[in-house]
Amino acid sequence: MANEQLNTLVLPDENGNFGKHGGKIGHPELAKALAEIETGFRNIIKDADFISEMKRLQATYVGRPSPIYHARTLSRRGAQIYLKREDLNHTGAHKINHCIGEVLLAKKLGKKKVIAETGAGQHGVALATAAALLGLECEIHMGVVDIAKEHPNVSRMKILGAKIVPVSAGAGTLKEAVDSAFESYVGQLGE
Ligand SMILES: Cc1ncc(COP(=O)(O)O)c(C=O)c1O
């Protein structure tokens, strides 16, 4: 993240609003934990050590900046189309970018574990990778339908040391995995 980008970073107000959009909607038990994360985030993005660690990991671990590809064949139809090759990042998606920042923040806040949900498995793989890299435990909630569909990503998460929590409620997909991850998080807040 370049310093000039940081200087122009648009953050929401204290109520989580970006102008007329957004807003904070959280379970009451979550409010305190979310406030701690928010304060931690607002502090860490001003921390020179964090910025330099992010830059180092983005360049040497993730492989950024990813190149921009001119899709010439597609562009013959009219508009010039350029693709930012975020798929070339380590783990194959943009998600590793924020997962590394999140795990660095969790470490800074003295946390030992990160918990997340995944659907297709890309988010789970990215977080499991960042957690393995930086030495935190990782717990990933995933619907049973998605587990069956996305087995290679489940294997990757396990190899990376993540604990997979299968979620069979409802449709057994991402929405239920989100609920399950939050429930688990709230249940472990005191630990
Ligand atoms: C926080 C979070 N969880 C889950 C997902 C779903 O992604 P995936 O299907 O790869 O798990 C996303 C996608 O952007 C995400 O940002």
Side-chain angles (χ1 to χ4, degrees):
M1 197 184 298
N3 288 336
E4 43 297 359
Q5 274 177 294
L6 271 174
N7 293 336
T8 56
L9 201 61
V10 179
L11 295 175
D13 64 23
E14 66 281 3
N15 297 315
N17 287 305
F18 292 89
K20 63 178 181 172
H21 300 291
K24 270 189 216 167
I25 305 162
H27 187 283
E29 285 175 66
L30 269 178
K32 198 163 157 247
L34 294 179
E36 182 193 1
I37 294 170
E38 183 176 343
T39 305
F41 172 73
R42 288 181 189 271
N43 288 334
I44 207 171
I45 57 165
K46 291 182 243 149
D47 178 343
D49 289 344
F50 168 74
I51 301 298
S52 100
E53 183 66 346
M54 275 299 281
K55 281 185 179 168
R56 186 182 72 80
L57 291 172
Q58 284 178 346
T60 61
Y61 187 74
V62 177
R64 286 174 64 89
S66 52
I68 291 173
Y69 168 73
H70 183 205
R72 280 188 287 188
T73 307
L74 204 53
S75 297
R76 281 195 211 118
R77 290 166 179 260
Q80 295 305 304
I81 297 171
Y82 292 84
L83 304 175
K84 177 89 164 89
R85 296 294 311 275
E86 288 288 281
D87 54 306
L88 296 177
N89 288 337
H90 182 43
T91 72
H94 62 282
K95 292 161 193 288
I96 191 76
N97 299 319
H98 68 82
C99 286
I100 287 184
E102 286 159 8
V103 177
L104 282 173
L105 173 59
K107 266 190 102 157
K108 181 98 179 172
L109 294 175
K111 310 296 177 191
K112 303 276 179 278
K113 185 196 273 190
V114 285
I115 301 175
E117 69 294 329
T118 196
Q122 289 283 8
H123 181 65
V125 167
L127 192 69
T129 301
L133 173 73
L134 297 163
L136 263 72
E137 278 179 67
C138 182
E139 180 182 304
I140 301 293
H141 294 243
M142 189 170 191
V144 288
V145 171
D146 290 331
I147 288 178
K149 280 201 316 209
E150 306 292 347
H151 213 263
N153 281 336
V154 177
S155 300
R156 284 180 85 188
M157 288 182 267
K158 285 184 180 166
I159 289 166
L160 288 158
K163 177 186 166 196
I164 309 294
V165 179
V167 181
S168 53
T173 59
L174 181 61
K175 177 184 161 297
E176 292 80 17
V178 172
D179 294 342
S180 175
F182 269 120
E183 271 167 33
S184 179
Y185 179 63
V186 169
Q188 296 180 60
L189 277 176
E191 293 176 16

